Amino acid sequence: MKPEGKLDTRETDWSLLERVTRKDEAALSELYDRYSGLVYSEVKRILRDSGAAEEILQDLFYQVWRTSERFDASRGSFAGWVLVAARNRAISKLRKKGDKAEELENNKVDLKANLETSTLQSLLVQKVRAVMGSLPEGQREAVEFAYFEGMTHTEIAEKTGQPLGTIKTRIRMAMETLKKVLG
Amino acid sequence: MNDSSHIREENLELYALGALPEAEAAAVKAHVAGCGECAAKLAEALGNVAVLALAAEQEKPAASVKEKLFARIAAERGATMAVTQPVGGREAVREEKRPRDRWWNWVLVPATVVLAIFCAELYRENRTLTVEVRDARRVAAEFEKERLHVMGLVNALSARDTETIRLASTKDGIPGSDAVVRYNKRLGKVLYTAELPALPPEKVYQMWLVPTNGAPISAGTFTAVGPKRAEPWEAEVPANSEPKAFAVTVEPAGGMPKPTGKIILLGGG
């Protein structure tokens, strides 16, 4: 299926979503092209299964198609929402917590970074990877266990044999560093 | 978790990360639902956390995913159009401007509807089966992981070079309480069980490895309630540290990096 319609490459996510609401497949295609790589990479890292990652990616954009009228500026950033929603679905699948996906998808997501072009995405990917690479091992490990393995701080403490307070401090310090560098 | 009335920023971040245990997460969720200020801070925390997705190795999905997505949309549209086709009224008036109906339209339209519904059903069934197979594989993998873990515990417990150290109550301890530690130097593993009374929620027991030199090393916290549980707690012994004794103290919930409470159980050395 080749979607029809003329695209303005400078269109914002919200403008594209407005067109998706009018059932414009070209607009959905553009949104998919913008974010499918980020979503797929995130979900695949969590599930370590390309088939399952593809399934979540397809379902997520099908949901955008079916319920695009529910997305508006009050939901914050579309890129932020799509990354949060994809992660929650992947973690729910990983841990079989069906209710967890619903929990955060309904919240507003204020993603400060603009990810609407592939160049901006590449720059931020490099930056984030550099920050993660520069963190002390314990901090990086704690944040990665939480984000990519869906572990609670208690589970991380048990796994690493570190006191809970240490794990909380490590996560907080890692997030502080990330915010400082990216802010 | 709260200071006077709001959720602390670090807890909002932990919630956004999904790193809070269920009960704490429920408390944050309930508060945020009724507090605009915390909801705004949570939106910011979710944005900060979402950036972590970019730490993943970047890969492109196969082109077939997009094709399947648009095929699914087309199938849905096709089914909707086919189902609504024979409706009368305005649609029927428009029909008159088109070339006259051929006789085979009477066969093709219902056939298309049936085919579209059949295809949609097949697609749905296929997806369900695929998901079920994947789930079954994942469950089998989890069982295997658990089996290997239990085998590891059994091996560590039954190894000839595993030492058994009994911890007895000290003068500051609780009469009648005890703990048994099994330590295997070769595997660098410590397993222990304990019989101790329940503590208030803000306190936990903490096991310490007491090395020959240097400060005690935490071997994890636990909230033992007698009778002894069947499955022992586990801890890894850091490289280059050989414990000469084991001790248990009572510490604030979450544990401490260094012992702050009095030693209530002690053994070894």
Side-chain angles (χ1 to χ4, degrees):
Chain A
M1 166 60 63
K2 200 162 186 177
E4 291 171 0
K6 199 179 171 186
L7 284 174
D8 178 354
T9 51
R10 290 165 303 172
E11 263 187 294
T12 64
D13 290 349
W14 296 118
S15 158
L16 288 169
L17 274 166
E18 206 179 333
R19 285 172 51 199
V20 173
T21 308
R22 299 196 301 269
K23 298 301 170 205
D24 182 338
E25 289 184 21
L28 182 72
S29 173
E30 172 69 10
L31 277 175
Y32 180 92
D33 290 344
R34 277 185 192 181
Y35 298 114
S36 57
L38 291 180
V39 168
Y40 177 74
S41 306
E42 177 187 34
V43 176
K44 192 177 169 200
R45 166 77 190 271
I46 293 167
L47 295 173
R48 293 182 171 91
D49 176 343
S50 53
E54 287 177 357
E55 195 181 310
I56 287 180
L57 172 64
Q58 194 197 129
D59 282 347
L60 195 61
F61 277 89
Y62 187 63
Q63 187 198 334
V64 171
W65 173 256
R66 294 290 302 268
T67 60
S68 54
E69 68 281 356
R70 292 190 204 158
F71 299 95
D72 56 38
S74 70
R75 301 291 290 271
S77 145
F78 175 74
W81 176 85
V82 90
L83 291 173
V84 168
R87 175 186 177 254
N88 285 345
R89 284 165 194 221
I91 297 291
S92 295
K93 201 171 176 75
L94 188 70
R95 303 188 52 139
K96 303 204 176 299
K97 283 185 182 174
D99 55 340
K100 201 167 182 182
E102 298 297 325
E103 203 170 86
L104 294 169
E105 275 185 44
N106 297 325
N107 288 292
K108 182 180 178 185
V109 182
D110 268 346
L111 180 67
K112 302 271 188 301
N114 182 345
L115 296 175
E116 289 182 357
T117 69
S118 56
T119 311
L120 291 170
Q121 287 181 13
S122 298
L123 285 173
L124 196 61
V125 164
Q126 280 172 26
K127 227 171 173 182
V128 172
R129 290 175 72 89
V131 174
M132 294 298 281
S134 71
L135 289 175
E137 196 183 341
Q139 288 183 27
R140 185 180 47 75
E141 184 184 64
V143 165
E144 285 185 346
F145 276 144
Y147 193 83
F148 291 113
E149 311 286 333
M151 293 168 77
T152 65
H153 53 35
T154 324
E155 289 166 333
I156 299 169
E158 274 173 24
K159 187 176 173 81
T160 57
Q162 295 296 323
L164 182 60
T166 306
I167 298 301
K168 285 182 180 178
T169 306
R170 284 179 179 177
I171 292 177
R172 194 184 71 237
M173 288 173 79
M175 291 306 299
E176 284 303 319
T177 308
L178 196 67
K179 279 187 279 182
K180 262 184 215 157
V181 176
L182 302 177
Chain B
M1 180 174 293
N2 295 350
D3 41 22
S4 55
S5 59
H6 296 296
I7 308 284
R8 290 215 310 257
E9 199 175 322
E10 63 184 86
N11 280 328
L12 284 172
E13 243 157 25
L14 287 169
Y15 176 69
L17 261 174
L20 285 182
E22 220 166 286
E24 286 180 52
V28 172
K29 189 180 178 183
H31 177 89
V32 167
C35 175
E37 197 177 324
C38 286
K41 282 183 183 166
L42 174 61
E44 211 170 296
L46 280 166
N48 293 333
V49 164
V51 170
L52 288 167
L54 280 67
E57 192 68 44
Q58 294 301 300
E59 289 178 67
K60 290 269 176 215
S64 59
V65 183
K66 189 175 181 184
E67 285 163 14
K68 282 181 200 162
L69 169 69
F70 282 95
R72 191 173 170 186
I73 289 168
E76 181 203 54
R77 276 189 160 181
T80 313
M81 282 169 70
V83 170
T84 54
Q85 195 92 26
V87 175
R90 291 169 69 93
E91 290 296 323
V93 173
R94 247 181 256 146
E95 280 298 313
E96 282 177 13
K97 293 176 185 169
R98 294 174 194 161
R100 288 184 69 80
D101 287 345
R102 303 282 193 267
W103 65 267
W104 56 76
N105 284 351
W106 295 99
V107 178
L108 284 178
V109 170
T112 309
V113 174
V114 171
L115 194 62
I117 292 169
F118 180 67
C119 288
E121 277 305 313
L122 270 183
Y123 177 78
R124 196 174 302 128
E125 196 167 330
N126 186 31
R127 267 177 54 79
T128 309
L129 284 173
T130 309
V131 169
E132 279 173 5
V133 168
R134 260 189 211 135
D135 282 350
R137 279 187 188 148
R138 202 179 298 283
V139 169
E142 278 168 10
F143 274 127
E144 179 59 13
K145 199 173 155 191
E146 182 64 17
R147 190 185 69 79
L148 290 173
H149 177 68
V150 171
M151 287 298 293
L153 286 182
V154 170
N155 287 341
L157 282 170
S158 58
R160 283 186 171 188
D161 53 349
T162 296
E163 292 175 50
T164 301
I165 301 115
R166 293 189 181 280
L167 274 60
S169 181
T170 63
K171 65 179 173 49
D172 298 312
I174 302 141
S177 61
D178 66 13
V180 177
V181 173
R182 286 183 176 83
Y183 165 53
N184 188 299
K185 184 181 172 184
R186 178 175 49 87
L187 300 170
K189 204 174 252 308
V190 169
L191 303 163
Y192 56 93
T193 54
E195 188 161 8
L196 285 160
L199 286 170
E202 70 277 9
K203 297 281 183 189
V204 290
Y205 293 110
Q206 190 159 4
M207 175 66 77
W208 301 96
L209 317 179
V210 186
T212 316
N213 295 309
I217 300 158
S218 173
T221 60
F222 60 100
T223 49
V225 181
K228 290 174 191 173
R229 50 175 223 172
E231 191 186 337
W233 287 280
E234 299 170 56
E236 303 291 331
V237 179
N240 305 324
S241 63
E242 193 173 330
K244 63 164 187 177
F246 295 85
V248 174
T249 59
V250 176
E251 302 292 348
M256 298 297 286
K258 288 179 188 168
T260 60
K262 287 178 179 169
I263 294 175
I264 58 164
L265 288 174
L266 183 66

